[in-house]
Each structure stands twice: as C-alpha cells, then as structure tokens.
Amino acid sequence: MESSTQIAEVSGTKPPRGFVKLIAATAALAGLLFGFDTGVISGAILFIKGELGLTPVAQEVLVSAALVGAVCGSALSGRFTDAWGRKRTILATAGIFAAGSVLCALAGNFVALILGRLAVGVAIGVASYTAPLYIGEMAPPKLRGGLVTLNQLAITVGILLAYVVDAAFAPTGGWRLMFAFGAVPAIVLELGIAVLPESPRWLLLHQRKEEAVKVLTRIRGNQDVMPELNDILSHAEPGRGKLADLFSPIVLPVLFCGVGLAVIQQITGINTVIYYAPTIFQAAGFQSAQSSIIATAGVGLVNVLMTIVAIPLLDRVGRRPLLLTSLAGMTVSLAALGLGFAIGGEALKWIGLLSLAVYIASFAIGLGPVFWLLISEIFPLSVRGQGASVATMANWLGNFVVSLTFLSLLNALGSAWAFLLYAALCVVGIWFCLRFVPETKGVPLERIEADLRAGRPLRKLGAG
Ligand code: BGC
C-alpha cells in the first residue's frame, strides 16, 4: 500500500479511491462490534440465567450493563478523541472490545460477567462515535455520506451476525462461545487500524502540519491537497475545544440539532424491535420459538439490505429527503401495528409481520444512517469530538431508557397504545427534522462551519 501511494505521489496521479474506501471499511469494523455486542446478549441470556441461577432483576442488570457502559464510554471519550487522536482512540477501543469479550467468555461468576459487559459497553460507546468521526474526516465530500454510512451498515451486519451466532451455538447452550466470537473482529480492527493514518484534520488541530500534508496527499492525490488543507487550517483553532465551547451561541444550535436527532432516533422505538422482536412476534401470534426466531432473523436481514440501499442515496438524494421519508414510513407502520393490536384476530399475525418489516426498512433507509452521519458533519472542527460525543451519549441514554421501559410500557398501556405512542413520537420527529435539520449532501465540512459562524439558521447550513 505504501509503495503504490508513493508511486502515485511521485507521478502526480490520483491514488485510487480504493484506499479511502479501505480506511472506511476497516474503521467500520468498530460498527460491526457495536452491532454484534449489543445483539449477542439476547441469545446468550437464555442460557446464562439457568447456569448462573439469575433472578429477573439480575438478568435486567446484565442486559443493561453494556448500555450503561456505552453511556459512560460516550460521555468520557470526546476528550480522548480530541486529545489522543481518532486513530489511537480506536486502537484502545479495539483492545477493550477484545479484553471484554474474553472476560465474558471466561467469567466464573456474575460479577466477572458484569465487569466484562461493562467494559464491552464502554468500548461500544467510544466506538459508536469515533468510527464515523474518523471516516467522515478522511472521506472526500462527495463520498462522505456513503463512506460514513458503511459504519451503520456494519452495525446492522453485526446485529444480524449476533442473531446467527446465537442461533448456531444455541443447540449446545454455548453462551461463552457466543461472547468469545466478538474477540475476532476486535483483533482484526486492532491490526487494521494500526497501519492506517491519523485524521489530517486532527493533525492540523495539533499543529502537526507536515504529517497532515502527507496523509492528505496519500488519501487525495497531489492536485486536491492545498485548497483542502488551507480550508481545514482556517478552521483549526488550537487551544479551543473545551466542553464549555459547546454552549457558545454559535455551537449551541448544532448541539440542539445533534442531541435532538439522537433522542428521536431512540424514542421512536428502534431498539424495542431490535432487542424484543421475538416478544413482539409472539404477542402478534407467532407462538413457536422457531417461527419467531426466523421472523427476527428476517428483521435483521431487512435492516442490512435497506442500509445497503441507503448508501448511494445519501449522497444523491440527500440526507433530509431520506430522513423525512424514513420517519413517514415509521409513523405509518407503527400506526398500523398499533391498530392491528387494537383489532386483534388472525390478521394481526400478518399485519405484525408486514408492519415490522416496513418499520425496520424505513428506519434503515434514513433515521438509522443519517443520525450518525450528521453528527460527524455538523460540529465545528474544534469541538467536533466533544459535540459528537455528547450527541452519542444522548443516543445511548435514550436507548437505555427506552429498552428499560418498553416491557413496562406494554403492560401499562397495552400493545396497541404503546405502538401508537411511538407513532406519535415519529410525527414529532418529522416536525423536528423539517424545522431544524440541515442538508449536508456534498457540502465540505468547512463550509458548514463557515455558515455557522456567519449566523445562518440551522436549516440553511451549507445551502446555496
Ligand atoms: C442505532 C442503534 C440501533 C441500530 C439498528 C443504530 O443507528 O443507533 O440503536 O440498534 O441502528 O440498526
């Protein structure tokens, strides 16, 4: 790789886009681990509870340990990405993923298991924003949407992989192997990221201009480097980037947009489906464990396939149209599911299946990828790590609250009203996006920042 880049530098030809794609694909392994490690517990818990004799409360603690870890990881790690750099943070994260997976696999008691899941959760929290941030800073503007979304694709593949691994080890009750499997992509990520360059934007922010020039030359080809470099330099203000800066009048609206989207991504119920699909399917009439497992795997597959469809569309159609279509589809499918439960009867089974398929497809085409993409784009460089980290933390907090309250909500309101409530929250999401979310398709990150400083309203950032 080094030698072909050097040849490209000497001859002045553009290095193939393949290198930047390879960088994105490698960093996206962090997304795969995010998906795998959040998904794997759903199958493992079935066997652990018997072997370790866990009470229902202990089971809830075990299931939510990774989410708690993720909230803490995302809260702390904005500082790490800004201080250590994106690459070193991902390196450390991969190590924690591997160590946490091994600890879970070897755990002799409940406490060791909780510690392992907490560690994995911290890694998930850090990885969930560092990977899109790193990819977004390496990608050329025209490819940025698609490349950053590789991370979301990897999340969905990780979730599907977890369903498959759980199903494969279920006949032997091998929960330790389910967890151990997670160490494999973690090691590949560790080795892969070790040979990749640091983000040029971060290097410039830390006055390492020479290295930044080298990296940019390597990933862009000689002809494009100087304008981009100057653009980044004019926005790299060393010495800034404190948490308090997020609350400055310039950054506050962006923070509002990022946190708002994070909350909307979660309160519209995605993880009630991802974590509890078998429960919903059983309530809708798929009584046998096998049919609900097949239906759940179907949900995982639709999620992957529609994310693939979203990738080219993000940079062609744009973020906003996809976001609005997505929320509209989610509203309709949740309302149909709620009404299906209200009416009941034989038809509910098929209404349930169809609604969940449309719901997950709608999420995957917009709200899933666009949230992670936008928070890697909209914050000014000097606070990008901090900003993305706060938005990510809001996302994990939302996830934690929704996952913890879903079953109680079903009991308190009944299935029909619970899903109608999520549908109403999608409508709030549509209003929020119409009003506050900018279109960032093809806009250089530095333009977005310049518009912010010029006092343009959120909705108009990067426009015209
Ligand atoms: C969300 C996760 C969710 C996943 C499903 C991600 O964008 O942040 O909470 O589990 O999508 O694909």
Side-chain angles (χ1 to χ4, degrees):
M1 199 183 304
E2 190 65 50
S3 61
S4 69
T5 312
Q6 279 164 355
I7 292 167
E9 283 172 19
V10 171
S11 65
T13 57
K14 251 191 173 176
R17 285 257 158 98
F19 182 47
V20 107
K21 288 184 181 164
L22 181 75
I23 292 176
T26 309
L29 277 175
L32 186 128
L33 284 158
F34 162 172
F36 180 83
D37 282 308
T38 48
V40 72
I41 191 73
S42 63
I45 189 84
L46 302 175
F47 304 101
I48 299 171
K49 66 179 178 195
E51 199 174 314
L52 299 186
L54 301 186
T55 62
V57 174
Q59 288 175 48
E60 270 174 14
V61 171
L62 181 57
V63 171
S64 47
L67 294 179
V68 172
V71 173
C72 301
S74 50
L76 290 174
S77 51
R79 294 164 192 227
F80 295 143
T81 35
D82 284 347
W84 295 356
R86 304 4 178 173
K87 171 180 165 164
R88 264 192 285 171
T89 304
I90 298 180
L91 267 179
T93 308
I96 303 174
F97 265 124
S101 306
V102 173
L103 185 57
C104 289
L106 300 178
N109 55 40
F110 182 62
V111 175
L113 200 52
I114 291 287
L115 287 178
R117 286 297 289 171
L118 271 175
V120 165
V122 169
I124 296 174
V126 179
S128 58
Y129 88 99
T130 311
L133 183 73
Y134 175 70
I135 300 172
E137 290 183 346
M138 301 302 264
K142 283 216 167 86
L143 295 185
R144 196 175 59 231
L147 290 183
V148 173
T149 303
L150 271 187
N151 191 59
Q152 171 70 18
L153 177 62
I155 295 174
T156 62
V157 172
I159 293 171
L160 183 61
L161 188 66
Y163 291 158
V164 172
V165 167
D166 282 358
F169 291 121
T172 55
W175 61 269
R176 291 180 189 279
L177 290 173
M178 295 175 188
F179 287 130
F181 193 91
V184 179
I187 293 167
V188 178
L189 174 64
E190 183 87 53
L191 298 176
I193 210 83
V195 296
L196 294 181
E198 178 53 88
S199 149
R201 287 181 167 82
W202 183 84
L203 289 170
L204 283 174
L205 200 58
H206 288 253
Q207 286 103 47
R208 289 160 61 174
K209 189 171 169 190
E210 257 175 49
E211 286 168 76
V213 172
K214 265 197 201 149
V215 175
L216 262 185
T217 308
R218 209 173 152 193
I219 59 179
R220 297 278 188 276
N222 293 336
Q223 50 274 66
D224 294 327
V225 171
M226 285 328 283
E228 187 172 356
L229 192 89
N230 289 333
D231 227 8
I232 301 173
L233 261 182
S234 65
H235 293 93
E237 293 173 42
R240 303 225 17 231
K242 293 185 219 69
L243 195 61
D245 294 334
L246 281 179
F247 300 95
S248 71
I250 290 175
V251 185
L252 198 60
V254 190
L255 186 66
F256 173 73
C257 175
V259 169
L261 262 184
V263 172
I264 286 162
Q265 201 205 41
Q266 293 301 324
I267 60 170
T268 46
I270 182 60
N271 288 311
T272 64
V273 176
I274 297 290
Y275 303 158
Y276 294 103
T279 312
I280 301 175
F281 281 125
Q282 278 184 350
F286 288 88
Q287 247 103 42
S288 82
Q290 204 190 358
S291 61
S292 64
I293 286 173
I294 294 173
T296 303
V299 162
L301 193 62
V302 171
N303 197 11
V304 173
L305 294 178
M306 290 308 283
T307 308
I308 295 176
V309 174
I311 291 182
L313 294 182
L314 283 160
D315 287 319
R316 260 181 237 153
V317 180
R319 285 61 158 156
R320 266 174 63 90
L322 287 179
L323 208 47
L324 293 168
T325 313
S326 168
L327 279 158
M330 290 166 70
T331 310
V332 172
S333 51
L334 283 171
L337 187 61
L339 292 176
F341 272 108
I343 297 163
E346 222 354 71
L348 172 58
K349 209 169 164 178
W350 304 112
I351 295 178
L353 191 63
L354 192 68
S355 325
L356 283 192
V358 173
Y359 172 79
I360 203 87
S362 307
F363 175 86
I365 200 128
L367 192 56
V370 173
F371 162 68
W372 294 107
L373 178 57
L374 276 175
I375 65 162
S376 75
E377 298 180 324
I378 55 178
F379 289 99
L381 176 62
S382 58
V383 287
R384 190 166 294 151
Q386 300 274 13
S389 145
V390 171
T392 306
M393 189 180 76
N395 189 272
W396 284 111
L397 261 179
N399 188 339
F400 177 64
V401 171
V402 172
S403 309
L404 215 63
T405 52
F406 175 60
L407 293 179
S408 326
L409 199 72
L410 281 188
N411 281 336
L413 298 183
S415 305
W417 284 109
F419 289 114
L420 288 173
L421 175 67
Y422 289 124
L425 291 171
C426 288
V427 177
V428 176
I430 294 178
W431 168 80
F432 182 91
C433 293
L434 279 173
R435 186 100 211 250
F436 300 112
V437 177
E439 179 55 81
T440 53
K441 175 185 81 165
V443 183
L445 296 180
E446 286 66 34
R447 240 288 285 301
I448 300 174
E449 181 161 353
D451 282 357
L452 260 180
R453 296 198 183 283
R456 283 190 133 190
L458 268 181
R459 172 63 199 90
K460 305 261 180 238
L461 294 182

